[in-house]
Amino acid sequence: MADFKKIEDKIKKFAVKDDAFIWNLDEAVRYLENALINKKNIYITFSGKELYSLLDDRNSCYEKVTGEPYEQFEMGLKKEMNDFAIKKMKIDGWVARGKEVIAHSEYENWVDYVYENADVCNGNQIENALKAMEKLAKGSSFEDVSKLFDNDNYGGANFALAMNILKDFCPSLDESSRFKGMPA
């Protein structure tokens, strides 16, 4: 082990700093791999970390920069992209459903609201407010619609958020028609 440390120290001591402009970590890895193929002992600084052509492979570069080996980083990135795609589909669905039940003059505000608030309570308040507006648009009474909110999984904060959405965007909600418990 001590011999490897000595070799590593010599490689680092004699490595030539390369000031190449590198855009991303994959490009940095390819750059170092190319230097290794050409038997060049170089190092580059990427994101504040020194990466060496003779010492670092893809995994060690990723561990130094991201704190995770390459495969783990890629799996996390794929999960993040998948989560984003699912969220985008939900948002697009809420926007489209809102277009069907919200007054045309309020539609632009609705789109802004959905994008700004989709993360609040995972969008549960948007989903439930839409369900209520869709039922109202089909002629259900406010009393029938209020039953959507009569379950143990629908706490006070979610209820209040959904009610605020209804107050702001529901065209058939007026001052004389209130859900039970709806704030004035």
Side-chain angles (χ1 to χ4, degrees):
M1 185 73 159
D3 289 337
F4 180 74
K5 181 68 176 146
K6 286 180 184 178
I7 293 170
E8 183 179 334
D9 290 343
K10 275 189 177 181
I11 289 172
K12 286 182 177 180
K13 180 179 178 181
F14 293 106
V16 177
K17 181 169 176 51
D18 191 315
D19 291 322
F21 186 74
I22 307 289
W23 282 94
N24 60 53
L25 188 50
D26 285 328
E27 186 180 337
V29 170
R30 283 191 301 275
Y31 192 81
L32 292 171
E33 288 170 345
N34 190 44
L36 180 61
I37 289 168
N38 292 311
K39 298 179 181 154
K40 292 183 179 177
N41 182 14
I42 65 163
Y43 75 95
I44 59 174
T45 302
F46 184 83
S47 195
K49 307 293 182 186
E50 291 180 351
L51 308 174
Y52 293 83
S53 63
L54 299 182
L55 297 174
D56 291 311
D57 62 2
R58 179 176 302 279
N59 272 336
S60 65
C61 287
Y62 269 81
E63 276 193 57
K64 283 182 176 180
V65 175
T66 69
E68 300 176 327
Y70 174 73
E71 286 183 14
Q72 188 176 342
F73 177 81
E74 281 294 308
M75 284 186 348
L77 186 60
K78 285 178 184 174
K79 182 188 179 319
E80 198 174 296
M81 290 170 60
N82 186 46
D83 291 349
F84 176 79
I86 290 168
K87 179 180 171 182
K88 178 85 169 95
M89 285 174 38
K90 279 184 176 180
I91 289 171
D92 291 346
W94 292 328
V95 167
R97 286 169 57 201
K99 187 174 187 176
E100 300 299 317
V101 294
I102 292 172
H104 180 72
S105 61
E106 287 297 318
Y107 184 67
E108 192 172 312
N109 293 334
W110 170 251
V111 173
D112 291 343
Y113 181 87
V114 170
Y115 275 93
E116 290 169 8
N117 294 282
D119 288 330
V120 177
C121 303
N122 291 320
N124 289 336
Q125 78 289 358
I126 295 172
E127 179 64 31
N128 286 311
L130 273 168
K131 285 178 184 176
M133 287 188 276
E134 289 165 344
K135 281 187 145 209
L136 289 169
K138 290 178 182 171
S140 293
S141 71
F142 285 106
E143 188 173 307
D144 288 341
V145 172
S146 69
K147 291 176 186 170
L148 287 171
F149 304 103
D150 288 343
N151 65 55
D152 293 334
N153 296 329
Y154 212 80
N158 274 338
F159 177 77
L161 289 168
M163 291 304 107
N164 284 332
I165 294 170
L166 290 172
K167 283 170 57 177
D168 290 343
F169 296 106
C170 187
S172 57
L173 184 67
D174 60 21
E175 291 302 315
S176 63
S177 307
R178 293 269 183 214
F179 282 84
K180 67 176 184 174
M182 184 172 187

